[in-house]
């Protein structure tokens, strides 16, 4: 879509982002031609919208002037004057006093040096005075044309943003390859999935036909007849000329906006909103437990063996004392291994019921609330959520999960208490995992390397702010059926792309800090971000039974067994190992398995050093919080499991009861134990 009708003169600058601060900007995403290529509009757009991209098409000066002269000569005087005002050049001016021929001037002005002019001889009916006027006019317009192109390139180069401008030269030349041009444009706009690489360039055939007709007229010694159909196709009508002059002076008026119409996108959003907010009962179906255990070799079993068996775990320290809550809430952080740990939790419920309580089926209900995907809750919504947990507790013991920021006061939702648990991941790995999920699994983003998205400007992480970019609600738009129309699929792809990109930018900016901080305004205060970090540390330390780490999933599960034995102890004679987490080491779906088998790209290549530095810079608080949680986890593991949480090679600690001397030290000495050397 464009804000003005296309014009026959060569294209100017196109901004591939909506200037939302004007009327047309609220309707369109892409702009080209007048009035967007007039004056310094591109400078205003580039400054106001740092994610916008610009395309500049450049023709050889003489070919450009030949077409433009014919178009302006056959246009009305008002339209021609309006165009000249927008271009900043007078149509009629005193003849230049220099005696140099205009051919030599053109050769000096052109970037490629001397070139053969398209018009060397005028018809015999043109007087010498008229020839001089035309020569001077050509010099003025060509000089302005090249100065304009140079100014555009210099503007972006001076700002250090040359990556936002694509210059396409000589599109109307016979040797220009459409495939090469489309590839450059698609790579620049990151539109790989819809790149028309084999399609001819639009308008090029018409330009070449006009060039051939002009050459024939020069041979015949005639000029273009302005009353002919060919002239009517290229002349500039009054309203278009006014649109071009509207940005450069007060002489023209911008064409009125199109009539208001019903938006299909708005109607689709309303249907999605109604679908998400339809009240439904909560599900009590637990996640699918892991399948049969994969046999392990003797060396693997020795590598995973712990110093103490689960039945002999010491309980002499307060941090190792088991909790007896009414329920367990896992407010899981996205892309942090929650599918793996929830599958293990689900399997442990029945094992605990059998081994600990002598029951064949557990009496613990796994509640998965069917609610809109709000991650941040307003005060009333938070109170309703805590009330729903109270109702779960009234019905019996329960385990529930949800993507939600830390809910203050939820541990007091029942008289017996509600225990909170969580699992974290290295912030940089979690950000990359979100990108891989959206680009290669869900395919809601172009499936290219993360570096290409960051360097191309589409993943614009530098200009994100929590006050405007945080996604309080995540709408996972329902995928249309295979029989849906192309229009339905196009709407879904457009909305899903916007949502996925907003979610990616949100989750790659100190997301974990805001997650553990909670719902308060101090958690989103750009002026004092240290407050959010301190509150997050306080909540991790005091509100959670345990926060594990994905990189040490085995010991995380062991800590859940020790601290919440009524839910997750399982078989007391067997400790968790890697075989309990098959989802942690397998592909997400059959589609991904097939893609990997066929050699297709299934994840991004490793990030370049400068992009790694960028992610670390915008996640400084998350990195600090992660290592704070990792230190707490390792400390608890040393206290409660009498190991440092890391197995370095196959080492047999002996039979049960044959304990190494470091495992019998007192607490003070134990806390000073460092990791064993390699």
């Amino acid at each position: 879509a464009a804000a003005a009708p296309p014009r026959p003169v060569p294209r100017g600058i196109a901004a591939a982002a909506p200037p939302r601060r004007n009327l047309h900007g609220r309707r369109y995403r892409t702009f080209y031609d007048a009035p967007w290529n007039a004056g310094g509009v591109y400078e205003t757009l580039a400054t106001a919208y740092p994610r916008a991209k610009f395309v500049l098409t450049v023709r050889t000066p003489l070919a450009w002037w030949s077409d433009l002269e014919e178009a302006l000569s056959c246009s009305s005087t008002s339209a021609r004057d309006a165009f000249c005002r927008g271009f900043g050049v007078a149509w009629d001016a005193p003849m230049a006093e220099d005696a140099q021929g205009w051919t030599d001037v053109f050769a000096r002005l052109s970037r490629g040096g001397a070139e053969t002019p398209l018009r060397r001889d005028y018809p015999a009916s043109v007087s010498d005075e008229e020839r001089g006027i035309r020569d001077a006019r050509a010099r003025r317009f060509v000089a302005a044309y090249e100065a304009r192109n140079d100014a555009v390139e210099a503007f972006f180069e001076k700002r250090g943003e040359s990556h936002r401008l694509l210059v396409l030269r000589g599109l109307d030349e016979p040797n220009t390859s459409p495939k090469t041009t489309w590839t450059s444009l698609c790579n620049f706009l990151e539109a790989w999935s819809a790149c028309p690489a084999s399609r001819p360039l639009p308008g090029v055939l018409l330009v070449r036909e006009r060039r051939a007709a002009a050459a024939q007229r020069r041979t015949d010694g005639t000029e273009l007849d302005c009353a002919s159909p060919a002239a009517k196709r290229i002349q500039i009508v009054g309203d278009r000329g006014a649109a071009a002059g509207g940005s450069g002076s007060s002489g023209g008026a911008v064409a009125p906006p199109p009539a208001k119409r019903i938006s299909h996108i708005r109607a689709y959003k309303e249907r999605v909103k109604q679908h998400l907010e339809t009240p439904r009962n909560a599900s009590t179906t637990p996640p699918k437990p892991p399948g049969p255990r994969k046999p392990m070799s003797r060396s693997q079993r020795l590598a995973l063996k712990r110093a103490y068996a689960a039945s002999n775990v010491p309980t002499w320290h307060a941090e190792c004392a088991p909790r007896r809550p009414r329920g367990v809430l896992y407010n899981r952080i996205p892309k942090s291994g929650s599918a793996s740990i929830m599958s293990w939790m689900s399997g442990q419920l029945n094992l605990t019921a059998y081994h600990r309580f002598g029951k064949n089926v557990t009496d613990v209900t796994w509640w998965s609330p069917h609610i809109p995907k709000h991650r941040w809750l307003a005060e009333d919504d938070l109170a309703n959520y805590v009330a729903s947990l109270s109702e779960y507790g009234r019905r019996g013991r329960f385990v529930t999960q949800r993507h939600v920021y830390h809910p203050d006061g939820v541990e007091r939702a029942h008289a017996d208490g509600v225990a909170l648990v969580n699992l974290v991941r290295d912030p940089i790995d979690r950000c990359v995992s979100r990108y891989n999920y959206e680009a290669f699994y869900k395919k809601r983003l172009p499936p290219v390397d993360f570096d290409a998205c960051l360097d191309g400007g589409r993943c614009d992480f530098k200009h994100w702010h929590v006050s405007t970019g945080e996604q309080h609600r995540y709408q996972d738009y329902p995928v249309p059926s295979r029989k849906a129309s192309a229009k339905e699929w196009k709407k879904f792809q457009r909305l899903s792309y916007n949502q996925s990109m907003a979610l990616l930018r949100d989750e790659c900016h100190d997301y974990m800090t805001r997650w553990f901080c909670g719902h308060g305004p101090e958690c989103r205060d750009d002026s004092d971000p240290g407050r959010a970090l301190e509150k997050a540390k306080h909540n991790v330390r005091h509100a959670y039974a345990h926060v594990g780490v994905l990189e040490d999933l085995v010991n995380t599960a062991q800590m859940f067994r020790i601290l919440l034995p009524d839910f997750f102890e399982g078989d007391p004679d067997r400790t968790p190992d890697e075989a309990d987490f098959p989802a942690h080491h397998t592909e997400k779906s059959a589609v991904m398995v097939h893609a990997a088998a066929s050699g297709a790209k299934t994840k991004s290549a490793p990030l370049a050093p400068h992009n790694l530095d960028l992610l670390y810079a915008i996640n400084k608080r998350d990195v600090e919080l992660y290592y704070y949680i990792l230190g707490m986890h390792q400390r608890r593991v040393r206290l409660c499991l009498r190991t440092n949480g890391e197995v370095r090679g196959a080492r047999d600690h002996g039979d049960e009861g044959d304990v190494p001397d470091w495992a019998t030290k007192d607490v003070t000495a134990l806390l000073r134990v460092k990791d064993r050397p390699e």
Side-chain angles (χ1 to χ4, degrees), residues 287-307:
K288 184 179 179 180
R293 298 185 66 209
K294 181 180 178 181
M296 302 182 68
S297 64
R298 181 177 180 277
S299 61
Q300 290 175 316
R301 290 196 301 272
L302 291 177
L304 294 168
K305 192 170 183 179
R306 293 296 184 265

Side-chain angles (χ1 to χ4, degrees), residues 5-217:
R7 298 173 48 194
V9 296
R11 296 289 180 256
I13 301 172
R20 294 180 291 272
R21 295 185 181 88
N22 56 63
L23 181 61
H24 291 301
R26 291 195 294 268
R27 296 176 179 270
Y28 303 109
R29 294 172 54 87
T30 304
F31 301 87
Y32 70 98
D33 213 5
W36 312 103
N37 62 351
V41 176
Y42 70 94
E43 299 179 359
T44 304
L45 295 177
T47 304
Y49 304 101
R51 294 179 59 196
K53 292 189 175 183
F54 298 81
V55 178
L56 175 65
T57 56
V58 178
R59 299 179 62 188
T60 54
L62 298 183
W64 171 82
W65 170 244
S66 178
D67 287 348
L68 182 62
E69 183 184 28
E70 291 185 345
L72 294 177
S73 299
C74 292
S75 301
S76 65
T77 303
S78 60
R80 183 185 63 203
D81 292 344
F83 176 86
C84 292
R85 285 195 301 271
F87 201 66
V89 180
W91 179 257
D92 293 318
M95 182 176 178
E97 296 181 358
D98 60 314
Q100 184 181 19
W102 68 281
T103 302
D104 297 334
V105 173
F106 280 6
R108 175 172 52 84
L109 290 174
S110 63
R111 289 187 175 86
E115 61 179 82
T116 302
L118 295 180
R119 167 170 258 161
R120 186 180 296 274
D121 299 322
Y122 291 104
S125 59
V126 179
S127 64
D128 293 340
E129 181 180 1
E130 179 65 20
R131 294 183 185 188
I133 294 175
R134 291 191 183 185
D135 289 350
R137 181 182 300 145
R139 288 195 293 270
R140 292 195 304 274
F141 273 84
V142 169
Y145 176 70
E146 294 218 339
R148 163 74 170 182
N149 294 336
D150 293 339
V152 173
E153 296 186 48
F155 171 77
F156 288 97
E157 184 176 358
K158 182 178 179 181
R159 292 165 57 97
E161 298 176 348
S162 299
H163 63 277
R164 297 177 59 193
L165 176 67
L166 174 66
V167 181
L168 298 176
R169 305 183 187 277
L171 298 184
D172 57 336
E173 295 299 321
N175 58 350
T176 300
S177 169
K179 182 177 181 180
T180 303
T181 303
W182 282 121
T183 301
S184 301
L185 183 62
C186 293
N187 288 339
F188 177 69
L189 299 178
E190 300 179 21
W192 299 276
S193 60
C195 187
S198 59
R199 184 184 303 174
L201 297 175
V204 171
L205 294 179
L206 179 61
V207 172
R208 292 174 180 172
E209 290 176 2
R210 290 206 304 264
R211 176 183 292 182
Q216 184 62 39
R217 288 194 296 271

Side-chain angles (χ1 to χ4, degrees), residues 521-566:
E522 67 277 4
C523 303
R524 287 147 192 86
D525 186 1
D526 286 332
S527 61
D528 189 10
R531 294 175 59 196
L533 178 60
E534 292 305 317
K535 186 174 181 181
K537 290 181 179 179
H538 178 274
N539 288 338
V540 168
R541 187 167 58 250
H542 297 288
Y544 286 80
H546 188 67
V547 179
V549 292
L550 181 63
E551 289 76 9
D552 190 14
L553 196 55
V554 171
N555 279 333
T556 296
Q558 183 74 313
M559 289 303 305
F560 288 171
R561 296 181 67 201
I562 294 171
L563 299 175
L564 300 168
D566 292 347

